[in-house]
PDB file of all heavy atoms in Angstrom:
ATOM      1  N   THR A  44     -17.901 124.797  95.315  1.00 67.00           N
ATOM      2  CA  THR A  44     -19.321 124.995  95.562  1.00 67.00           C
ATOM      3  C   THR A  44     -19.511 125.971  96.712  1.00 67.00           C
ATOM      4  O   THR A  44     -18.918 125.824  97.769  1.00 67.00           O
ATOM      5  CB  THR A  44     -19.986 123.650  95.910  1.00 67.00           C
ATOM      6  OG1 THR A  44     -19.809 122.753  94.816  1.00 67.00           O
ATOM      7  CG2 THR A  44     -21.467 123.841  96.165  1.00 67.00           C
ATOM      8  N   ILE A  50     -21.513 135.780  90.865  1.00 92.00           N
ATOM      9  CA  ILE A  50     -21.122 137.190  91.004  1.00 92.00           C
ATOM     10  C   ILE A  50     -20.011 137.550  90.019  1.00 92.00           C
ATOM     11  O   ILE A  50     -19.947 138.681  89.522  1.00 92.00           O
ATOM     12  CB  ILE A  50     -20.653 137.472  92.450  1.00 92.00           C
ATOM     13  CG1 ILE A  50     -21.858 137.459  93.403  1.00 92.00           C
ATOM     14  CG2 ILE A  50     -19.921 138.808  92.563  1.00 92.00           C
ATOM     15  CD1 ILE A  50     -22.812 138.602  93.239  1.00 92.00           C
ATOM     16  N   SER A  99     -39.484 132.706  72.233  1.00 84.00           N
ATOM     17  CA  SER A  99     -38.106 132.851  71.760  1.00 84.00           C
ATOM     18  C   SER A  99     -37.927 134.131  70.953  1.00 84.00           C
ATOM     19  O   SER A  99     -36.944 134.865  71.127  1.00 84.00           O
ATOM     20  CB  SER A  99     -37.707 131.634  70.914  1.00 84.00           C
ATOM     21  OG  SER A  99     -37.727 130.454  71.691  1.00 84.00           O
ATOM     22  N   ARG A 131     -25.992 136.064  65.970  1.00 88.00           N
ATOM     23  CA  ARG A 131     -25.024 137.028  65.440  1.00 88.00           C
ATOM     24  C   ARG A 131     -25.591 138.450  65.397  1.00 88.00           C
ATOM     25  O   ARG A 131     -24.847 139.415  65.273  1.00 88.00           O
ATOM     26  CB  ARG A 131     -24.577 136.609  64.030  1.00 88.00           C
ATOM     27  CG  ARG A 131     -23.729 135.326  64.026  1.00 88.00           C
ATOM     28  CD  ARG A 131     -23.398 134.894  62.606  1.00 88.00           C
ATOM     29  NE  ARG A 131     -22.608 133.684  62.577  1.00 88.00           N
ATOM     30  CZ  ARG A 131     -21.283 133.642  62.584  1.00 88.00           C
ATOM     31  NH1 ARG A 131     -20.606 134.796  62.602  1.00 88.00           N
ATOM     32  NH2 ARG A 131     -20.632 132.500  62.560  1.00 88.00           N
ATOM     33  N   HIS A 144     -16.685 122.290  82.827  1.00 85.00           N
ATOM     34  CA  HIS A 144     -16.139 120.935  82.683  1.00 85.00           C
ATOM     35  C   HIS A 144     -16.946 120.114  81.674  1.00 85.00           C
ATOM     36  O   HIS A 144     -16.455 119.098  81.168  1.00 85.00           O
ATOM     37  CB  HIS A 144     -16.130 120.211  84.029  1.00 85.00           C
ATOM     38  CG  HIS A 144     -17.458 120.161  84.705  1.00 85.00           C
ATOM     39  ND1 HIS A 144     -17.865 121.143  85.588  1.00 85.00           N
ATOM     40  CD2 HIS A 144     -18.490 119.291  84.614  1.00 85.00           C
ATOM     41  CE1 HIS A 144     -19.091 120.844  86.010  1.00 85.00           C
ATOM     42  NE2 HIS A 144     -19.491 119.736  85.433  1.00 85.00           N
ATOM     43  N   ASP A 152     -19.101 115.130  83.169  1.00 68.00           N
ATOM     44  CA  ASP A 152     -20.420 115.357  82.581  1.00 68.00           C
ATOM     45  C   ASP A 152     -20.275 115.962  81.191  1.00 68.00           C
ATOM     46  O   ASP A 152     -20.884 116.975  80.868  1.00 68.00           O
ATOM     47  CB  ASP A 152     -21.245 116.281  83.488  1.00 68.00           C
ATOM     48  CG  ASP A 152     -22.718 116.311  83.098  1.00 68.00           C
ATOM     49  OD1 ASP A 152     -23.162 115.377  82.408  1.00 68.00           O
ATOM     50  OD2 ASP A 152     -23.415 117.262  83.484  1.00 68.00           O
ATOM     51  N   PRO A 168     -15.563 137.803  68.183  1.00 89.00           N
ATOM     52  CA  PRO A 168     -14.145 137.696  68.554  1.00 89.00           C
ATOM     53  C   PRO A 168     -13.700 138.743  69.571  1.00 89.00           C
ATOM     54  O   PRO A 168     -12.717 138.543  70.273  1.00 89.00           O
ATOM     55  CB  PRO A 168     -13.418 137.883  67.213  1.00 89.00           C
ATOM     56  CG  PRO A 168     -14.409 138.593  66.331  1.00 89.00           C
ATOM     57  CD  PRO A 168     -15.745 138.108  66.755  1.00 89.00           C
ATOM     58  N   PHE A 193      -8.850 129.543  74.185  1.00 92.00           N
ATOM     59  CA  PHE A 193      -8.356 130.646  75.015  1.00 92.00           C
ATOM     60  C   PHE A 193      -7.186 131.338  74.339  1.00 92.00           C
ATOM     61  O   PHE A 193      -6.291 130.686  73.783  1.00 92.00           O
ATOM     62  CB  PHE A 193      -7.917 130.108  76.380  1.00 92.00           C
ATOM     63  CG  PHE A 193      -8.987 130.205  77.435  1.00 92.00           C
ATOM     64  CD1 PHE A 193     -10.308 129.895  77.136  1.00 92.00           C
ATOM     65  CD2 PHE A 193      -8.684 130.604  78.723  1.00 92.00           C
ATOM     66  CE1 PHE A 193     -11.298 129.976  78.094  1.00 92.00           C
ATOM     67  CE2 PHE A 193      -9.669 130.699  79.701  1.00 92.00           C
ATOM     68  CZ  PHE A 193     -10.977 130.388  79.386  1.00 92.00           C
ATOM     69  N   CYS A 197      -4.060 134.853  79.087  1.00 92.00           N
ATOM     70  CA  CYS A 197      -5.351 134.558  79.686  1.00 92.00           C
ATOM     71  C   CYS A 197      -5.198 134.506  81.210  1.00 92.00           C
ATOM     72  O   CYS A 197      -4.079 134.459  81.737  1.00 92.00           O
ATOM     73  CB  CYS A 197      -5.912 133.237  79.165  1.00 92.00           C
ATOM     74  SG  CYS A 197      -4.898 131.792  79.547  1.00 92.00           S
ATOM     75  N   THR A 205      -9.718 122.928  99.540  1.00 82.00           N
ATOM     76  CA  THR A 205      -9.831 122.678 100.965  1.00 82.00           C
ATOM     77  C   THR A 205     -11.003 123.454 101.556  1.00 82.00           C
ATOM     78  O   THR A 205     -11.140 124.657 101.336  1.00 82.00           O
ATOM     79  CB  THR A 205      -8.537 123.090 101.696  1.00 82.00           C
ATOM     80  OG1 THR A 205      -7.445 122.364 101.144  1.00 82.00           O
ATOM     81  CG2 THR A 205      -8.644 122.790 103.177  1.00 82.00           C
ATOM     82  N   VAL A 247     -36.728 107.167 102.507  1.00 96.00           N
ATOM     83  CA  VAL A 247     -35.876 107.635 103.603  1.00 96.00           C
ATOM     84  C   VAL A 247     -36.567 108.760 104.373  1.00 96.00           C
ATOM     85  O   VAL A 247     -36.516 108.810 105.602  1.00 96.00           O
ATOM     86  CB  VAL A 247     -34.503 108.091 103.063  1.00 96.00           C
ATOM     87  CG1 VAL A 247     -33.675 108.732 104.173  1.00 96.00           C
ATOM     88  CG2 VAL A 247     -33.746 106.903 102.472  1.00 96.00           C
ATOM     89  N   ARG A 340     -19.400  98.683  96.881  1.00 91.00           N
ATOM     90  CA  ARG A 340     -18.377  98.482  95.841  1.00 91.00           C
ATOM     91  C   ARG A 340     -19.023  97.909  94.583  1.00 91.00           C
ATOM     92  O   ARG A 340     -18.779  98.373  93.461  1.00 91.00           O
ATOM     93  CB  ARG A 340     -17.289  97.524  96.337  1.00 91.00           C
ATOM     94  CG  ARG A 340     -16.340  98.079  97.382  1.00 91.00           C
ATOM     95  CD  ARG A 340     -15.360  96.977  97.770  1.00 91.00           C
ATOM     96  NE  ARG A 340     -14.434  97.399  98.788  1.00 91.00           N
ATOM     97  CZ  ARG A 340     -13.246  97.957  98.552  1.00 91.00           C
ATOM     98  NH1 ARG A 340     -12.874  98.169  97.312  1.00 91.00           N
ATOM     99  NH2 ARG A 340     -12.450  98.299  99.541  1.00 91.00           N
ATOM    100  N   ALA A 401     -28.687 104.607  77.290  1.00 96.00           N
ATOM    101  CA  ALA A 401     -28.604 104.548  75.826  1.00 96.00           C
ATOM    102  C   ALA A 401     -29.120 105.843  75.205  1.00 96.00           C
ATOM    103  O   ALA A 401     -28.534 106.385  74.262  1.00 96.00           O
ATOM    104  CB  ALA A 401     -29.398 103.347  75.311  1.00 96.00           C
ATOM    105  N   LEU A 435     -64.076 143.235  74.083  1.00 82.00           N
ATOM    106  CA  LEU A 435     -64.203 141.781  74.073  1.00 82.00           C
ATOM    107  C   LEU A 435     -65.585 141.350  74.553  1.00 82.00           C
ATOM    108  O   LEU A 435     -66.139 141.910  75.503  1.00 82.00           O
ATOM    109  CB  LEU A 435     -63.145 141.139  74.975  1.00 82.00           C
ATOM    110  CG  LEU A 435     -61.689 141.258  74.528  1.00 82.00           C
ATOM    111  CD1 LEU A 435     -60.768 140.667  75.589  1.00 82.00           C
ATOM    112  CD2 LEU A 435     -61.472 140.549  73.193  1.00 82.00           C
ATOM    113  N   LEU A 551      -7.805 116.004  97.615  1.00 89.00           N
ATOM    114  CA  LEU A 551      -7.031 117.098  97.025  1.00 89.00           C
ATOM    115  C   LEU A 551      -6.075 116.580  95.959  1.00 89.00           C
ATOM    116  O   LEU A 551      -5.890 117.213  94.911  1.00 89.00           O
ATOM    117  CB  LEU A 551      -6.262 117.846  98.109  1.00 89.00           C
ATOM    118  CG  LEU A 551      -7.093 118.668  99.101  1.00 89.00           C
ATOM    119  CD1 LEU A 551      -6.183 119.363 100.108  1.00 89.00           C
ATOM    120  CD2 LEU A 551      -7.953 119.697  98.382  1.00 89.00           C
ATOM    121  N   ASP A 566     -12.567 111.166 109.636  1.00 89.00           N
ATOM    122  CA  ASP A 566     -12.635 109.999 110.520  1.00 89.00           C
ATOM    123  C   ASP A 566     -11.311 109.251 110.596  1.00 89.00           C
ATOM    124  O   ASP A 566     -10.958 108.693 111.645  1.00 89.00           O
ATOM    125  CB  ASP A 566     -13.750 109.057 110.072  1.00 89.00           C
ATOM    126  CG  ASP A 566     -13.550 108.539 108.652  1.00 89.00           C
ATOM    127  OD1 ASP A 566     -13.513 109.361 107.712  1.00 89.00           O
ATOM    128  OD2 ASP A 566     -13.437 107.322 108.461  1.00 89.00           O
ATOM    129  N   ARG A 577      -4.432  98.235 122.780  1.00 59.00           N
ATOM    130  CA  ARG A 577      -3.536  97.257 123.389  1.00 59.00           C
ATOM    131  C   ARG A 577      -3.953  95.855 122.951  1.00 59.00           C
ATOM    132  O   ARG A 577      -5.034  95.654 122.398  1.00 59.00           O
ATOM    133  CB  ARG A 577      -3.619  97.369 124.912  1.00 59.00           C
ATOM    134  CG  ARG A 577      -5.024  97.191 125.466  1.00 59.00           C
ATOM    135  CD  ARG A 577      -5.107  97.564 126.926  1.00 59.00           C
ATOM    136  NE  ARG A 577      -6.472  97.480 127.434  1.00 59.00           N
ATOM    137  CZ  ARG A 577      -7.031  96.366 127.883  1.00 59.00           C
ATOM    138  NH1 ARG A 577      -6.317  95.249 127.876  1.00 59.00           N
ATOM    139  NH2 ARG A 577      -8.269  96.363 128.326  1.00 59.00           N
ATOM    140  N   VAL A 579      -5.585  92.456 123.249  1.00 80.00           N
ATOM    141  CA  VAL A 579      -6.703  91.979 124.044  1.00 80.00           C
ATOM    142  C   VAL A 579      -7.005  90.544 123.627  1.00 80.00           C
ATOM    143  O   VAL A 579      -7.148  90.257 122.439  1.00 80.00           O
ATOM    144  CB  VAL A 579      -7.962  92.860 123.824  1.00 80.00           C
ATOM    145  CG1 VAL A 579      -9.122  92.357 124.686  1.00 80.00           C
ATOM    146  CG2 VAL A 579      -7.660  94.312 124.135  1.00 80.00           C
ATOM    147  N   SER A 580      -7.097  89.646 124.618  1.00 87.00           N
ATOM    148  CA  SER A 580      -7.405  88.248 124.312  1.00 87.00           C
ATOM    149  C   SER A 580      -8.896  88.095 124.055  1.00 87.00           C
ATOM    150  O   SER A 580      -9.702  88.980 124.391  1.00 87.00           O
ATOM    151  CB  SER A 580      -6.998  87.349 125.478  1.00 87.00           C
ATOM    152  OG  SER A 580      -7.823  87.614 126.612  1.00 87.00           O
ATOM    153  N   ILE A 601     -22.334  99.706 119.329  1.00 83.00           N
ATOM    154  CA  ILE A 601     -21.062  99.031 119.063  1.00 83.00           C
ATOM    155  C   ILE A 601     -19.904 100.026 119.124  1.00 83.00           C
ATOM    156  O   ILE A 601     -18.843  99.731 119.676  1.00 83.00           O
ATOM    157  CB  ILE A 601     -21.113  98.338 117.683  1.00 83.00           C
ATOM    158  CG1 ILE A 601     -22.111  97.183 117.707  1.00 83.00           C
ATOM    159  CG2 ILE A 601     -19.726  97.834 117.284  1.00 83.00           C
ATOM    160  CD1 ILE A 601     -22.292  96.507 116.366  1.00 83.00           C
TER     161      ILE A 601
END
Side-chain angles (χ1 to χ4, degrees):
T44 300
I50 288 291
S99 297
R131 292 176 180 270
H144 55 269
D152 193 20
F193 265 42
C197 62
T205 302
V247 173
R340 288 179 181 269
L435 293 176
L551 291 181
D566 60 299
R577 57 191 176 85
V579 181
S580 67
I601 293 176

